[in-house]
Structures are given as C-alpha cells and as structure tokens.
Amino acid sequence: MRLPGRIAAAIDVLADIDAHKRPVAEALKAWGLNNRFAGAGDRAAIGNLVYDALRRRASLAWTMGADEPRALVLAVAVREWGEDIATLNDSFGGDRFAPAPVTPEEATRLTAADPLAGAPDHVRADVPEWVVPHLRQSFGEDWIAEAQGLADRPPLDLRINTLKANRDKVMRGLGRFTPESEIRIPEGIRFPAGARDSRTPNVTSEEGYLKGWFEVQDFGSQIVAALASPRGGEQVLDLCAGAGGKTLAMAAAMQNRGQIFAYDSDRTRLAPIYDRLKRAGVRNVQVRAPGAGVLDDLRGKLDRVVVDAPCTGTGTWRRQPTTKWKLTPEQLAARVAEQHAILADAATYLKPGGTLVYITCSVLPEENAGQALAFLAANPEFTAIPGNKLWMAHFSGTKLRARFSPEGGVAVTPRTSGTDGFYCIAMQKG
C-alpha cells in the first residue's frame, strides 16, 4: 500500500472506533483481517496514524476545526508527519484507494502558522478539561508540558531476566534490530519510538523472548518494581499481581530466594502469569487464584506487601490514548474508593517491621499522594520511607530523574524520566 491507501485505512479505523466504541487494537486487528493484502509495514503505518491521531485528538481537532476521523488523520499526516499538501493531492489523484483530495479550507488550516492560536490550556495539553485542576495539583506550573509528554509515542522497553541471561547475551540476540546502546537502567533495553511509519521490532517472536531471556516491560514499571525493594529470603505478597510483570521482576531481584505470593482478584488478568513464570525460570512464586479465604493464612506474617493498585491508568495514556478521552470523574472516584479498601486490607498481612509498597500507573494526586496521606493518617503505626532515600539506594549511578513528594512518594513520567507515569511509596509498619 502507498500512503494514500494507508491514510484512507486509518480514517476507516478511526470511524470504526468512534462508531462501535471498540478498543484501538481490536479495530486495527479487524481491519487487518478484512484486508489481508496489507503487509506488516502497512499495518504498522496505519496503526501509527491512528494512535498519533488519538494521542493528540484535542489539539488536532482544534487545528482542523473538526473532530472527524478524516480531519484528524490529515492533520497527523501534514502537521505531525511533515507531508506536503500538494504532493499529497497529487498522490491521491493516482490512487483508487485514496480519500478525497485536501480542500482549500483544509489546506488553510493545515498550513496555519499557529494552529493552536486561542486554544485553551486543556487543548494545548491534549487532556479532558475536567482533568486540568488535578494535573495542576500534581505538577504545578509544569502541568501542560507533563501532559504533552503523555501524548508522545512510547518506546519499546525490555527487562533483562537476570535469572537466565545478561545484557551482552540479550543485546547479541537482538542486535539486528539495533537497540539503543545507552544503559538507562540496570536491566533495561530500549528501542526508541521513531517517527512517521517507523516500526518497533516484534520481539515476542524472537528466540530470546521464547527462552525467557527478557520480558517486555516499560522502564517505569521496572523502576517501581525495583523501588519495592524485595530481598532474597523475604516473604512477599504481590496483592494485585495481574499478568505478573512486576512479580517476575521482583523474583529476579530476589534471585529465586524467599517466597512471593502472587494474587489478583480477577482470574482473567492473572491467567498469563503461569506461562510467564515457567518461561522466565521463576521458582519462588506461588500463585494464589481468587477465592474466599485464599490469603487468610498469610495475615500478620509477611515481610513485604506490594500493592500495584487498580487505577485510572493516566500514566499510560501514551499507550492507551482512548482511555484518556473516556475517563470520567465518577471513574476516578470509584478507583480511589477501591484503592482505599485494598490498602486497608494489604496492611493486615504485614508483620511488625514489614513494609507496605503502594504503586499506581497514575499521575493524579487523589490516587497517589492523597491516597498515601490518608492511609498514613489512619494508620499511625506506619512511617513512610523517604522517597529520595529509596531512589538513591537503587538509581544513584544512573541519569534517571524522578519527582519526590513531601509524603515520601516517588513519581516518574514521560517528560521527567522518559517512562510511563508511575507513583510509588514504601511505608514501614512499626
């Protein structure tokens, strides 16, 4: 396929998402199944057009004066990808799959010197308007820049599984894909996002992945798993384990010594953990499937409880842009209530001197500092471990940066750290 056909396909996929409220990945997969002539490069380019449009939907719609799929995709092609309008129209005329040519009115908007002239702050930030006070509370004067970072393309990050491999071994296995040579975090390897129709490698079909030498995991997720500070020989509960990404990272940090109990209240979320544990060579994890009383024997006995809490996912807007535009105040309130209940339950599993680690992939204060402060106020036997102290214990020799908040929390974001947005605080029981 040439660019005109790819643009037309992206318009169709966006229209499908809007009409049927489908997840992006599902809509792209459906288009691919119905258009089997498209190659891997075509599908990647169409996906890039769609995701780029969704990440910056508010600012692109303002630029075009319309929130229609055609307007969004044309804005991506010209404003983001640098396509020339005259060249586009020439190519449209010679391609039967192309959309209609760019109109004079569209061309005027697409070439405006300041396409966001007069735009309100939430449009410049590419966020829902109701979220603005929450982001301002989290980031102060930097909130627009931080929000814009959440609208960038994400890289592909890997975590080296030190139970089976080392950096040299993994880098050799992936050398043909030219991963970034800079070491940003100890066990991390990065493939930059690229621009336009660039593709990140399909590493999950590689020998190293199938043999468990590495896992796909954003650097932010790797960072908070390290800040959880599990030690070999400890008894640890991963209370919201999900598919097990942080469970595996902690098991490797513990070098298969001690015991991790991996639990999640949702069987579907937990299901992938079994194959992942086997592939990674993890032997110190006991999975506890959801059920009445399945964790009762652990109450008051554990050294460390890690709560990777269900949250709004605002820190992962780069990867899941549709969730940004669907989020509501009611959903935020529901998540905050859920987190409060989970933290109260998590505390009951710790023995004296144990540590409760609270993690979210959110950048909203109600889910982060607000939640931690409420817990500490209600549980005076707990004391927060200063975030800068925790950080220096793990990342003092790196170029990574983080935000430290007064209650003891550590936060990373795309703009600050080059990662997804995460929050972490460790609180020790007296």
Side-chain angles (χ1 to χ4, degrees):
M1 296 176 68
R2 295 188 298 161
L3 182 59
R6 290 172 171 180
I7 288 174
I11 292 170
D12 288 344
V13 172
L14 276 175
D16 182 26
I17 292 168
D18 289 347
H20 300 104
K21 311 305 178 187
R22 291 199 202 207
V24 184
E26 184 180 313
L28 287 167
K29 181 179 180 180
W31 185 92
L33 290 173
N34 291 327
N35 298 272
R36 293 182 182 275
F37 61 85
D42 297 320
R43 294 193 299 272
I46 294 163
N48 283 349
L49 285 166
V50 169
Y51 274 101
D52 285 352
L54 290 171
R55 290 187 185 104
R56 293 195 165 92
R57 185 162 200 157
S59 61
L60 295 174
W62 180 276
T63 295
M64 300 301 291
D67 189 32
E68 303 301 322
R70 171 184 167 88
L72 298 175
V73 175
L74 287 178
V76 170
V78 176
R79 304 293 313 195
E80 304 286 328
W81 289 28
E83 290 294 326
D84 176 74
I85 294 174
T87 304
L88 266 185
N89 275 346
D90 286 344
S91 66
F92 284 3
D95 193 318
R96 64 189 180 93
F97 297 107
V102 177
T103 67
E105 181 184 352
E106 288 172 332
T108 298
R109 287 185 171 275
L110 287 167
T111 56
D114 183 4
L116 296 181
D121 285 346
H122 74 276
V123 169
R124 294 179 178 276
D126 270 300
V127 297
E129 186 172 7
W130 73 267
V131 175
V132 169
H134 305 267
L135 294 176
R136 186 177 282 119
Q137 185 178 340
S138 285
F139 300 117
E141 294 181 357
D142 294 335
W143 78 268
I144 292 179
E146 289 284 354
Q148 288 171 339
L150 289 163
D152 289 337
R153 283 191 190 179
L156 172 64
D157 292 341
L158 310 180
R159 179 183 60 80
I160 300 162
N161 177 18
T162 53
L163 296 175
K164 285 193 169 185
N166 57 35
R167 179 177 296 276
D168 288 343
K169 186 175 184 178
V170 176
M171 290 289 278
R172 282 196 304 271
L174 298 173
R176 64 194 176 95
F177 297 122
T178 60
E180 191 177 77
S181 59
E182 181 183 2
I183 300 176
R184 295 174 182 262
I185 64 175
E187 277 81 51
I189 293 175
R190 169 164 287 182
F191 296 89
R196 291 177 54 93
D197 58 355
S198 61
R199 298 163 58 188
T200 52
N202 178 20
V203 296
T204 58
S205 63
E206 293 297 301
E207 176 189 28
Y209 178 81
L210 298 174
K211 289 186 174 181
W213 297 352
F214 62 85
E215 292 286 334
V216 176
Q217 187 176 25
D218 178 76
F219 281 2
S221 181
Q222 294 183 47
I223 287 169
V224 293
L227 294 177
S229 307
R231 301 167 185 164
E234 285 188 338
Q235 300 292 299
V236 178
L237 172 61
D238 190 351
L239 189 57
C240 305
K246 296 179 184 66
T247 307
L248 269 64
M250 292 191 294
M254 295 168 71
Q255 289 294 296
N256 267 335
R257 294 182 290 115
Q259 181 78 68
I260 300 175
F261 301 94
Y263 171 85
D264 197 279
S265 61
D266 187 316
R267 288 180 184 275
T268 302
R269 282 198 302 262
L270 191 63
I273 198 172
Y274 299 96
D275 287 341
R276 296 183 75 184
L277 292 171
K278 183 177 179 181
R279 188 177 66 245
V282 170
R283 300 189 304 274
N284 69 330
V285 171
Q286 181 184 131
V287 180
R288 296 280 181 98
V294 297
L295 300 177
D296 285 352
D297 61 310
L298 303 179
R299 295 193 187 277
K301 297 180 180 179
L302 301 179
D303 300 293
R304 198 170 302 268
V305 176
V306 178
V307 177
D308 184 9
C311 67
T312 57
T314 49
T316 63
W317 276 346
R318 300 188 301 176
R319 302 180 192 277
Q320 304 291 338
T322 53
T323 63
K324 172 163 61 175
W325 308 113
K326 292 179 180 179
L327 185 63
T328 67
E330 292 75 21
Q331 289 171 335
L332 172 59
R335 286 306 193 194
V336 168
E338 189 176 4
Q339 292 156 4
H340 180 82
I342 291 172
L343 273 172
D345 181 53
T348 67
Y349 296 101
L350 287 166
K351 65 184 183 183
T355 302
L356 175 59
V357 182
Y358 175 69
I359 296 168
T360 74
C361 55
S362 173
V363 295
L364 302 184
E366 295 86 349
E367 299 183 277
N368 296 341
Q371 201 67 265
L373 287 168
F375 176 84
L376 290 167
N379 298 272
E381 71 275 22
F382 281 84
T383 304
I385 298 171
N388 57 346
K389 178 180 178 181
L390 199 61
W391 183 266
M392 292 302 291
H394 294 277
F395 301 111
S396 60
T398 72
K399 296 179 181 178
L400 283 171
R401 292 187 302 145
R403 288 176 173 268
F404 306 107
S405 44
E407 80 287 349
V410 179
V412 294
T413 65
R415 179 174 180 262
T416 302
S417 317
T419 69
D420 285 350
F422 280 90
Y423 173 87
C424 180
I425 185 170
M427 300 170 283
Q428 190 166 30
K429 184 177 181 179

